[in-house]
Amino acid sequence: MIKIQWMMKLLPLFHSLQDPLLQRLYLPFKPPTPSTHFPFPPQLFQTSSIFNIRDPQTTPFLRPTSIFFSKLLTQCTASKIVGPGMEIHARIIRFGFSEDMSLRNHLISLYTKCRRFGYARKLVDESPERDPVSWSALISGYVQNGLAVEALSTFHDMRLLGVESNEFTFPSVLKACSIAKDLKLGMQVHGVAVVTGFDMDVFVANTLVVMYAKCGEFGESRRLFDAIPERDVVSWNALFSCYVQRDCCAEAVDLFMEMIKSGIRPNEFSFSTIINACAGLVDGTQGRNIHGFLIKLGYESDPFSANALVDMYAKVGVLKGAISAFREISRPDIICWNAIIAGCVHHEDHEWALKLIRDMSTVGVFLNMFTFSSALKACAGLGLKELGRQLHSSLIKMDTKSDVFIDVGLIDMYSKCEMMKYARRVHSLMPQKELVAWNAIISGHSQNAEAMEALWTFADLHKEGIGFNHTTLSVVLKSAATLQAIKVCEQVHSVSVKSGFKSDIYVINSLLDTYAKCSLVEDAKRVFEECSIGDLVAFTSMITTYAQYGKGEESLKLYLQMQERGIKPDSFVCSSLLNACANLSAYEQGKQIHVLVLKFGFLSDIFAGNSLVNMYAKCGSIDDAGRSFSEIPIRGIVSWSAMIGGLAQHGHGEEALKLFDQMLKDSVQPNHITLVSVLCACNHAGLVTEARKHFESMKELYGIEPMQEHYTCMIDLLGRAGKLNEAMELVNTMPFEANGSVWGALLGAARIHKNVELGRRAAEMLLALEPEKSGTLVLLANIYASTGLWENVANVRKLMKYNKVKKEPGISWIEIKDKVHTFIAGNNTHSRTKEIHAKLDELSDLMNKAGYVPMVEIVLHDVERSEKEQLLLHHSEKLAVAFGLIATPPGAPIRVKKNLRVCPDCHSAFKFICKIVSREIIVRDINRFHHFKDGSCSCGDYW
């Protein structure tokens, strides 16, 4: 039955022997004719008289013995020199020793070592005896040369002929099964070993352990290992070396420690293997412990362990340890040099890598392809164009065959050195362009802001029919995002689904990022929801997308899902959550995220620090923003700009300008955003002279040309200050067409100063530029109403009705106990509406007694005064403040956010309310913060 199974299993192998390459392995044996010159090293012979033997008839007294030929063949086998061995074979035949089984086995070993398998097989087939040693030698020779199929075929022939296997046969056959990863065949061989009783032999048992482990059956491997009665260090090495080869490095380290506890002393092979496991785990601590143990047992001079130590320290980033271990090696080989150079490059210590390459050349060790690959990466990392070209020139002079890794290294180097012309040339000259080369050139285009070229190259790749992987798709999607190419993004999405990459986390994250950058939030959301294996990057992308597009509540909800999955946030997630809280003006939730920043140790992270400053500033707590700013260890321009902008928004113009001066003293150069914040600070504080000085010196002092935002700030400032002619002069002289922001600033100034003519012109320009905005006509109607032009007001209202323009409703919201409550003027849907109205009535009586007079003139409805007063009393910001008074503890500040400018009546009312209830009321409108305290506002009534 077993023989039939073997025939069925190995039948395909017999057909494969007809391959021309394999036919050459089985050449018919023809004994060579002895020549007059014996080309063999004379030192192999004991005397010169023996060396001169030519013929048994001419030298009857010096006839060689079997032992003599055996010694010669042993030395030929060790040296792997087949020519002299074949001449010895001829003499063995001539002297009549061809039937000697010992010499025959020596010859088989020689031929298999020298890969002359045809001669070796011929000797086995012509053997007069069915000698298991001969067959085992042949099988062992195949295995040592990696010819697993031929080894198994030979074992099958051996079994068919009835030749019994021995303790040397089974290890070789089982090793062949390991090479072929043929578990089923290995199990059959195991069965034969059990039947014949060789499974208890320590060498056979060790090989069985290795075979099962290499075929992925670690449970069976461990069971067999445990069954070995007397396990030695070789048994342990066999097991955990397999674990390392299968990338189960943690398990290998555990086995090594178990071996130590069992009292088995490790040898040099144990150490080199387990050090490689530590490298695979990137575990420098365990690696150092093993290193100490190695020194203790006296194996520090072992070359394999020394090379492994260099490689381990380099991979875990302990370059000092790698260099120290490297210097302990008296004559490091090319493998050792490459290990430490590659480690330096991997950890971006490119200068040291290039120094080592120079040292390597100095001591006479020649660079190979691996060294060149590392050198090119170092040049790419440092942007060394000329050195990179010199290396390329050296490769050309060496006249080596095209190597894909070298070619990709050249493309990468030229790309990172901004020499895409040469990168394209290398790519075009490659005889066979594999996918890794296509990816390199596409990435090069993307890195050099050649997004369109990247997409065209991807199209060429697709035409070639080579295929693609997640790297290709990720780079192409990045280029599509750069170009805002929505159609390309959708096509790549479709291709990724059809080609099976829809579940690849790299492609999913790239799709999320691309859709987000193309403002397709719903598409990004759909991709995220369809992803079942969302990781930290996916959550970060989606949370950031929501935060950027004003969906802060979705960001915070998504973070809760992230917590449920047990995914630990990083500094980028915290930064995005803080930005979401800033946009929502969610002070309490922002403080909770601050706690997370402290808990996970992100306080020193520049992104988290800047986001904390921004969040507290936008949530109305400029003092908390200042404390967060002071805790940032290294403040960049973003940090300074965030704090200056925060002070400006809160009306602390002079403090903002002082901080700007401090920034300049700290040698931090401003950018255009910083200068916008400086001008805004002057604007909110009415500092016309200071603003004019900064605006006029921007280019001279900082090399920054004023942009649209800077002009808008200046025009708004001049208009608010009543310098309307100067503001218009600036509009007429600025180097570009005025946009909606400029005309909006002029319309606001016209409303403040009741300038009908300017208001009419600004409104006309705004209606042409932004016809969809209802606020333009509302402001124009307010201007007319403030000057008593009621007929014009009526005409504007008719125009609004004709064009179906509806006034944007005022919306205010307040955060109470992690929940945001929203209010709209006249809306009575809140669960505590009755309490809110009762509170407002109470406040109205108290305010009236304190001297408050409602500004009924700003109500454009043609109704009675009492009704106008009720409309004013129920404005959205008043509803939010009243709710805050009944829902928060006495003395706590009330923080309200509004989508429009705070109305003049509410602004007046809050000055009375804050004094009556002894509370600070903080209102963030569309332009700035108003801090109402002790009967006054931080804006000084200038908003």
Side-chain angles (χ1 to χ4, degrees), residues 100-109 112 120-121 123-142 154 158 163-164 166 168-169:
D100 187 300
M101 288 306 300
S102 175
L103 291 177
R104 184 177 290 269
N105 290 338
H106 276 298
L107 284 167
I108 292 169
S109 295
T112 56
R121 182 60 190 262
L123 284 168
V124 172
D125 289 340
E126 292 178 351
S127 174
E129 300 177 23
R130 294 178 179 178
D131 183 17
V133 177
S134 303
W135 286 92
S136 296
L138 179 59
I139 294 169
S140 176
Y142 282 130
T154 304
M158 174 183 171
V163 180
E164 295 295 330
N166 60 18
F168 302 107
T169 315

Side-chain angles (χ1 to χ4, degrees), residues 588 814-821 832 880 883-885 887-888 894-895:
E588 293 300 327
I814 182 170
E815 180 192 13
I816 306 289
K817 293 182 180 178
D818 293 343
K819 185 177 180 183
V820 176
H821 299 259
R832 301 181 71 177
F883 177 65
L885 288 171
T888 58
I894 296 170
R895 304 173 192 277

Side-chain angles (χ1 to χ4, degrees), residues 685-748:
L687 304 173
V688 178
T689 305
E690 288 82 352
R692 191 182 285 117
K693 180 189 72 173
H694 288 294
F695 179 77
E696 292 174 353
S697 63
M698 281 175 58
K699 184 176 181 182
E700 181 184 347
L701 294 180
Y702 316 117
I704 298 173
E705 288 280 0
M707 299 169 67
Q708 190 86 248
E709 297 94 325
H710 304 106
Y711 277 98
T712 302
C713 283
M714 279 303 300
I715 291 164
D716 189 37
L717 172 61
L718 292 170
R720 287 174 180 279
K723 300 179 182 296
L724 300 179
N725 291 333
E726 194 175 338
M728 280 306 302
E729 185 182 346
L730 194 57
V731 171
N732 295 329
T733 56
M734 65 182 186
F736 25 69
E737 289 293 322
N739 62 10
S741 298
V742 171
W743 290 113
L746 288 171
L747 183 60

Side-chain angles (χ1 to χ4, degrees), residues 497-537:
V497 172
K498 290 178 182 177
S499 55
F501 284 100
K502 65 178 182 180
S503 298
D504 186 280
I505 195 64
Y506 295 101
V507 176
I508 289 167
N509 291 338
S510 297
L511 280 167
L512 285 172
D513 184 61
T514 305
Y515 278 131
K517 287 177 179 175
C518 292
S519 304
L520 301 173
V521 180
E522 289 303 314
D523 292 280
K525 178 184 177 182
R526 188 176 68 254
V527 170
F528 180 81
E529 289 177 345
E530 290 173 356
C531 169
S532 59
I533 53 170
D535 61 357
L536 175 61
V537 178

Side-chain angles (χ1 to χ4, degrees), residues 791-804:
E791 185 179 345
N792 291 30
V793 172
N795 290 335
V796 172
R797 290 175 66 83
K798 286 178 185 177
L799 182 62
M800 291 174 67
K801 187 175 182 180
Y802 177 79
N803 291 327
K804 297 180 180 180

Side-chain angles (χ1 to χ4, degrees), residues 800-814:
M800 291 174 67
K801 187 175 182 180
Y802 177 79
N803 291 327
K804 297 180 180 180
V805 174
K806 291 185 178 181
K807 179 183 176 183
E808 183 181 357
I811 302 172
S812 300
W813 54 96
I814 182 170

